[in-house]
Structure formats: structure tokens, C-alpha cells
Amino acid sequence: MTRKRQEEQPEEKDLQFQKISLLSSTMRHWENHQKKGYDPNETRISDLLECWSGESGPAIGLLGIPFDSAVLGRKGAKGGPKKIRDSIRYFKAYDWRRDFWFGDKKIYDFGDIIFDAQSVLECHNHITEIITKIVAKNFTVITLGGDHSITYPLVKGMKEHYREPIGLINIDAHLDVREVINGRISSGTPFRRLLEKNVIAGKNFVELGIRNFANAKKYRQYAEKQGATIFTVEEIQIMGLESVLATTLENITAETEFTYISLDLDSLDQIFAPGVSAPTPAGLTPTQIAQIIRKVVSETNTIGMDIVELNPIYDTADTTAINAALFLVEFCASHFYKHS
Ligand SMILES: [Mn+2]
């Protein structure tokens, strides 16, 4: 038995070596293609990224939050920030729809938050502290999650800085207004906490992409009682996205100066987003979500967006991650165009 195993070893090694060399030749192909200035006629979004080293805005900043300790679904969202950054390379700094080239712009990357904490609450406090410092330097921040619990400390930090009412749009399959039961803060509780602690008001809160058979009656009643505007995927299909967005913008800007977008990738149909904590069918398309972002950033003073719940462990062919990167790029293009 032992001898046989010894004889098999070289063969196994060869096989492994073949796999490695095949992989590295694929990577060599990518490396060349990824080189800055490889084709002088095009600019990649990845060429716009720059490590933040003390600069002040106005500018766009990226912040990674590799945190999934509060996730209610499948764990793994802490791998999200890295995968979204990796997927940015697929996109070019040219917006066809607007015939707008933005290859001369910069996106400052603040890196990932490193946690040294014993509880979800401590991590959240750390997030609030950091986001407050970044917005104080006049950055519009795109945060890469991480589970959806991080929206609470992020919006709280934004509110502490701006000190004015914030209009909040949550693009999500779920309402995420769960009660905190037995002190358990989760990826299902961020908006309830924001409403209860008066960080946001119900009338300035819109939820888009809510799914059938994915929410509790009690939470629907709660959100409606708070005065939130809710549009399900079916309502978006029947009424049309343009009409839904008109109402959305009217409601969130009626009494606010600032808008914040929270984007849970499970708002996407499962076919476009296998890599999320809680996959759900019959959802939105990437085109619809890109349209929402374009409209909101173009027509409101959008101070930030979070992209949450990417779970690379369950992703196939980086489908979800590349969609997440598309939404990041759409936000940047719309922001640059507006300020050009
Ligand atoms: Mn969510």
C-alpha cells in the first residue's frame, strides 16, 4: 500500500504542475492586457485607482469593509471588497451612453478597515469613526461590503458629519427592518436601527426591489407605518422604472439635501447574483440597477453608496462580483459627468 502510494506521487505532482502552468499562462495573458498604456487608445477604470495618501476632496473615495460577523445568510461576505476591486479591470473609462470619457479622473482607495474588536457593536463604532473622518475630507464614498449590517454605522457617520436630513434609498430583496432580538444586531436590522435612532426619517426612506415571499407581514407593517416608500420588483415591472424613479426622487428629496444609496446585491435576480448571502429569484436586472444609480446620482446630491452582501464563496465565474463592479463604475461615471 505504502509502495503504491509512493509510486503514484510523481504522477500526481505532474498533474498539479500542469494545472499550475496552465493557470499561469492565463494569468500572463491577463497581465499583459492589464498593463497601463497597453493600448494607448483606451483607459481602464483600474488605471484611475490611486492609493489615498492624505489628499482632500472633492473626490470619490473607495473603502473596503471585509466584515461578515452579522450576516444572517451564508457567511463569506468578508471576501467582497477584494473581489469587487479585482473585477474593476473589466471596465473602461468611457461612458457610451453619454459619449463621455473620464480617463483623466481619479478614484482614491482608502483600503480595507482592519478590525480589532470583540463585538459587532465595537466594529460598527469603528466604521462610524472612520467614515466620519473620510467624509470630513470632502470625499464621496463608495463602500464595498461586507454584510448589510454596515449600512447602519455608515449612514450614522454620514449624519454626524452633514447634520442635515439624509434621503436613503435601499435597493434590496428584503426590507431589513428586523427587530434586534436578544441584542443580536444582524444584516437584517440596519434600517430599523437607523429609523429608531432617528438617523433617518421614514418619509425620507425608499426601498426598491422588494421580493414576494421574502419578508414578514410584521416588518411590512412597520416600514409602512414609518412612512417608507416601497416598490416591489413586480410593481417596477408594471409601473415602469422611470415612473417608480420619479416618485422615489420626489419622496426622498422633498425634505432632504443629501442622498445615500445602499445596494444589497441580492436585489439582483439570482441568475445575475449567485454569490450573495441570501439568493432570491424573480429580481432586478443589472441594467435596471445601473439605471437607478445613474438617475439618482445625476439628479440628487449623492454623498455615498454601499455595495453589500457579495459572497465570493458562492459566486460562479465572478458574475456577482463583476456586476458589483459595474455598479461602482456607473456611480463614478455619473458623478464625474455631473461635475464635469
Ligand atoms: Mn439586505
Side-chain angles (χ1 to χ4, degrees):
M1 219 23 215
T2 315
R3 192 177 295 160
K4 203 182 169 196
R5 193 171 290 162
Q6 276 171 348
E7 281 165 11
E8 275 174 0
Q9 267 179 353
E11 237 178 73
E12 274 174 18
K13 252 188 188 169
D14 280 347
L15 190 67
Q16 233 177 5
F17 179 72
Q18 276 170 15
K19 274 187 197 160
I20 290 166
S21 60
L22 191 71
L23 180 69
S24 66
S25 71
T26 315
M27 285 174 78
R28 271 199 294 277
H29 172 73
W30 260 115
E31 274 170 26
N32 234 346
H33 199 58
Q34 273 179 270
K35 269 182 194 159
K36 207 167 186 168
Y38 172 76
D39 180 346
N41 295 317
E42 72 172 28
T43 325
R44 297 170 157 265
I45 304 286
S46 34
D47 296 338
L48 272 54
L49 288 180
E50 206 157 299
C51 289
W52 179 74
S53 55
E55 293 87 351
S56 288
I60 292 183
L62 281 193
L63 174 68
I65 306 190
F67 176 81
D68 63 5
S69 299
V71 87
L72 275 180
R74 323 179 286 195
K75 279 216 190 287
K78 68 178 172 193
K82 186 187 181 303
K83 269 293 176 186
I84 299 176
R85 283 196 186 90
D86 285 352
S87 305
I88 290 172
R89 65 184 179 185
Y90 291 100
F91 298 93
K92 318 287 188 286
Y94 173 66
D95 187 334
W96 180 288
R97 193 188 161 102
R98 296 177 168 118
D99 192 12
F100 171 56
W101 178 78
F102 53 97
D104 54 343
K105 309 289 188 220
K106 279 179 185 170
I107 300 168
Y108 292 94
D109 196 338
F110 284 81
D112 287 349
I113 294 185
I114 297 164
F115 293 103
D116 177 24
Q118 300 300 316
S119 68
V120 170
L121 209 59
E122 271 182 70
C123 290
H124 280 188
N125 290 339
H126 194 148
I127 293 169
T128 299
E129 201 182 305
I130 287 176
I131 197 73
T132 311
K133 282 180 184 162
I134 296 175
V135 290
K137 288 192 171 292
N138 209 3
F139 280 89
T140 302
V141 190
I142 304 176
T143 306
L144 315 175
D147 70 51
H148 212 163
S149 76
I150 65 170
T151 303
Y152 173 76
L154 287 170
V155 177
K156 185 170 175 258
M158 296 271 175
K159 181 74 190 294
E160 279 175 18
H161 174 75
Y162 288 102
R163 297 179 181 279
E164 293 286 340
I166 294 173
L168 180 54
I169 299 176
N170 178 37
I171 310 169
D172 201 327
H174 314 96
L175 295 166
D176 286 356
V177 292
R178 286 175 196 268
E179 278 180 70
V180 176
I181 298 167
N182 298 327
R184 193 180 171 201
I185 295 163
S186 75
S187 55
T189 61
F191 302 104
R192 177 117 176 183
R193 296 180 72 214
L194 286 169
L195 289 162
E196 284 185 352
K197 293 180 193 287
N198 294 317
V199 181
I200 57 159
K203 59 180 188 289
N204 304 327
F205 180 41
V206 178
E207 303 217 71
L208 300 176
I210 297 303
R211 224 73 117 236
N212 216 6
F213 310 118
N215 293 278
K217 180 183 169 88
K218 208 176 164 193
Y219 294 140
R220 175 186 182 168
Q221 288 171 331
Y222 171 80
E224 286 175 347
K225 201 176 167 205
Q226 296 291 314
T229 306
I230 303 166
F231 288 109
T232 64
V233 173
E234 273 184 37
E235 284 167 337
I236 292 171
Q237 277 164 354
I238 294 164
M239 298 166 68
L241 188 56
E242 279 301 315
S243 149
V244 163
L245 284 176
T247 310
T248 297
L249 292 185
E250 208 181 293
N251 290 6
I252 54 155
T253 58
E255 291 175 25
T256 69
E257 286 294 312
F258 306 104
T259 308
Y260 183 89
I261 303 170
S262 184
L263 171 52
D264 188 324
L265 292 166
D266 71 23
S267 57
L268 277 170
D269 191 282
Q270 184 180 17
I271 196 110
F272 302 112
V276 293
S277 310
T280 321
L284 298 172
T285 66
T287 312
Q288 286 177 313
I289 293 181
Q291 280 170 344
I292 296 170
I293 295 169
R294 187 182 305 140
K295 182 92 174 174
V296 174
V297 175
S298 302
E299 297 192 11
T300 74
N301 185 7
T302 313
I303 51 177
M305 173 169 80
D306 60 58
I307 305 175
V308 296
E309 298 290 351
L310 169 64
N311 186 331
I313 296 169
Y314 295 93
D315 208 4
T316 48
D318 293 341
T319 306
T320 320
I322 298 170
N323 274 321
L326 166 71
F327 304 140
L328 184 161
V329 172
E330 182 62 62
F331 186 103
C332 293
S334 300
H335 177 93
F336 292 141
Y337 185 73
K338 191 181 177 183
H339 296 97
S340 64

